[in-house]
Amino acid sequence: MDLSNLVDPEEEEAGTELTPEMQEKLTKLAELLLPNWEFNVLSIEVIQGGQMALVWKFMTDEGPKCLKRIHRPEKKALFSIHAQDYLAKKGMRVPGIIPNKDGSLYTKHGPFLFVVYEWIEGRPFNLTVPEDLQWMMRGLGDYHTQSVGYVPPPATPIFSKLGKWPKHYIKRCQQMETWKLIAKRFPEDPFCQLYLAEIDPFIVKGREILDQLRASHYPEWVAACKKKPSLCHQDYGTGNTLLSEEQIWIIDLDTTTFDLPIRDLRKVIIPLMGDTGVWDHQLFELMLAAYEEVAPLTPEQKNVMYIDMLFPYELYETVSERFGRKNDIMPEELMAAFEYEKRKTEQLSQLL
C-alpha cells in the first residue's frame, strides 16, 4: 500500500490549521509507518503538518516518542541524520534517534525519509529574558564544540558551506540590483520609490564587505576548519531549543551543515536586533560573552564575524518578502530596515 503521496504539499501549505480530513490522513500515514519500529503504539497525535516537515507525537508503553518526516532532499537529510546520531551518542543534548527493526536510523517511504526520536519535554526560551538568552548562547557554543569530529559515513554526501560566503554575498548584491529593475516597473508604488531612492549605497556597501571578507582571516579560518570542521545548526532559535530539567536541548537539526561557527551567531543575533529595530550593543555583548564561556573566539575570528554582520541581511530579507515572496510589505517597514542597517553599521564599524 503506497501512501507516499497521501499528503499533498500544496494542501499542507494552504494554512497552519489542519482540517479534520488532513488530521485523519496524517494519522493514517503514521499508522502505516510506525510498524517499521519495535513499539507498542498506544496513541498518535499530529503535532506539525503545516510545512514540509511533518511531526507526530506517539505514546508507547516506554513513554512518548517523536516521528518526523525530514523535509530536506535525501542526500542532505542523510548528512543531518547521521550528525544528530553522532552528537546524541557523544552525550550532546539532542534527541536520540531510535533505529527501526532493520537497525537503520531512518525508514524511506516514497521520496521522503522518516525518523523516530526520543520525545523531549521542556519549555521554549524567551528572547526577551537575558537569562534565557544566555542559556541559548551557551547551548550554541556547546553545539559547535561538541560537533568537532563528526565524519559522515562513507557514501554520504557532505553538506558544507565552508568557503562559500563570497558567492553568497555576490548573489545577494546581484539580486538587489535585479529588484531595482522590478521596482522601476511600478513608478507610482511608494515601496518601489523608496527602494530605488535608498538601495544603491547598500549594494555598494555589500560589495565593499565582500572585499573586506576576502582580505580578512576568513580564508585561513576556512582552510583550518576544512581539516577539522564543526557543525552549524543554521536554524537555531526559540523554536529549536528547549529548557528541560535545567538543561538546554537542541532539536531540529535538519539543516545542519559544516561552516564557521559564527554563521550561527550572525543568524541568531542579527534577526533579534532587527526585530527590535535598534542595535542594542549591551545585548550584543551579553550574548557574545555567554557564547564565549563555552567557545571562545580569537580577535581575528571576531573580526570576520563583524564583517559578516555588516552585510545588509535584514534589509535583504525585508525586500525579499516583497519582491521574492510577493507579500504585502509597507514602505514604513522598508524605511525601518534601512535605518536599522545604518545604525548596525555605525556600531559594528567601531568594533572592526
Side-chain angles (χ1 to χ4, degrees), residues 130 133-134 137 281-291:
L133 274 177
Q134 290 172 309
M137 299 310 291
H281 188 70
Q282 185 175 1
L283 180 61
F284 174 75
E285 290 292 339
L286 178 139
M287 296 175 73
L288 185 57
Y291 176 84

Side-chain angles (χ1 to χ4, degrees), residues 251-267:
I251 62 177
D252 193 2
L253 275 62
D254 294 2
T255 59
T256 198
T257 179
F258 287 141
D259 203 354
L260 302 184
I262 55 173
R263 179 182 180 86
D264 275 338
L265 286 173
R266 185 260 295 169
K267 296 187 82 167

Side-chain angles (χ1 to χ4, degrees), residues 16 51 60-61 71 147 170 195 215-216 265-266 278 317 349:
T16 56
Q51 300 292 333
T60 74
D61 46 15
H71 71 282
S147 65
I170 292 168
Y195 182 74
S216 73
L265 286 173
R266 185 260 295 169
V278 297
E317 287 301 316
S349 295

Side-chain angles (χ1 to χ4, degrees), residues 74-104:
E74 182 176 346
K75 291 181 179 180
K76 293 181 179 180
L78 290 174
F79 180 89
S80 64
I81 288 170
H82 286 289
Q84 181 155 345
D85 184 58
Y86 169 83
L87 289 169
K89 288 177 177 177
K90 194 174 182 180
M92 178 75 191
R93 288 180 295 279
V94 299
I97 297 178
I98 301 172
N100 62 19
K101 290 178 180 178
D102 297 328
S104 176

Side-chain angles (χ1 to χ4, degrees), residues 263-327:
R263 179 182 180 86
D264 275 338
L265 286 173
R266 185 260 295 169
K267 296 187 82 167
V268 172
I269 294 172
I270 296 299
L272 175 61
M273 300 288 191
D275 288 343
T276 66
V278 297
W279 182 267
D280 187 333
H281 188 70
Q282 185 175 1
L283 180 61
F284 174 75
E285 290 292 339
L286 178 139
M287 296 175 73
L288 185 57
Y291 176 84
E292 289 198 279
E293 288 178 26
V294 180
L297 297 169
T298 68
E300 293 81 9
Q301 291 170 345
K302 287 183 184 178
N303 211 49
V304 176
M305 179 179 68
Y306 300 146
I307 291 170
D308 184 44
M309 287 182 170
L310 278 171
F311 195 86
Y313 289 108
E314 287 302 286
L315 173 59
Y316 180 90
E317 287 301 316
T318 300
V319 183
S320 182
E321 281 294 318
R322 174 64 184 273
F323 294 139
R325 301 180 185 93
K326 310 298 184 184
N327 293 325

Side-chain angles (χ1 to χ4, degrees), residues 128-141:
T128 65
V129 177
E131 291 78 10
D132 277 16
L133 274 177
Q134 290 172 309
W135 266 108
M136 287 181 60
M137 299 310 291
R138 286 191 289 264
L140 183 58

Side-chain angles (χ1 to χ4, degrees), residues 123-288:
R123 72 161 178 86
F125 291 93
N126 185 340
L127 294 179
T128 65
V129 177
E131 291 78 10
D132 277 16
L133 274 177
Q134 290 172 309
W135 266 108
M136 287 181 60
M137 299 310 291
R138 286 191 289 264
L140 183 58
D142 199 33
Y143 184 83
H144 291 156
T145 56
Q146 291 295 317
S147 65
V148 174
Y150 168 56
V151 178
T156 299
I158 293 176
F159 188 32
S160 175
K161 293 187 180 295
L162 284 168
K164 296 180 180 179
W165 291 11
K167 290 182 180 179
H168 177 86
Y169 290 1
I170 292 168
K171 181 179 178 180
R172 276 156 177 73
C173 288
Q174 290 173 339
Q175 185 63 72
M176 287 188 283
E177 287 283 6
T178 300
W179 285 333
K180 286 170 59 177
L181 301 178
I182 297 175
K184 287 176 182 178
R185 287 160 41 193
F186 304 96
E188 304 302 319
D189 185 305
F191 185 98
C192 294
Q193 291 174 352
L194 178 60
Y195 182 74
L196 290 171
E198 299 285 342
I199 194 60
D200 282 347
F202 293 93
I203 298 175
V204 171
K205 185 64 178 177
R207 290 172 176 148
E208 291 174 353
I209 294 166
L210 172 60
D211 292 336
Q212 286 181 274
L213 183 75
R214 286 170 167 161
S216 73
H217 182 62
Y218 176 76
E220 290 80 10
W221 195 3
V222 166
C225 281
K226 284 183 177 180
K227 297 177 182 177
K228 196 175 181 181
S230 64
L231 291 168
C232 274
H233 187 283
Q234 288 209 102
D235 194 23
Y236 193 80
T238 55
N240 294 325
T241 50
L242 293 169
L243 182 65
S244 178
E245 298 180 352
E246 295 304 307
Q247 297 286 353
I248 184 171
W249 285 79
I250 300 173
I251 62 177
D252 193 2
L253 275 62
D254 294 2
T255 59
T256 198
T257 179
F258 287 141
D259 203 354
L260 302 184
I262 55 173
R263 179 182 180 86
D264 275 338
L265 286 173
R266 185 260 295 169
K267 296 187 82 167
V268 172
I269 294 172
I270 296 299
L272 175 61
M273 300 288 191
D275 288 343
T276 66
V278 297
W279 182 267
D280 187 333
H281 188 70
Q282 185 175 1
L283 180 61
F284 174 75
E285 290 292 339
L286 178 139
M287 296 175 73
L288 185 57

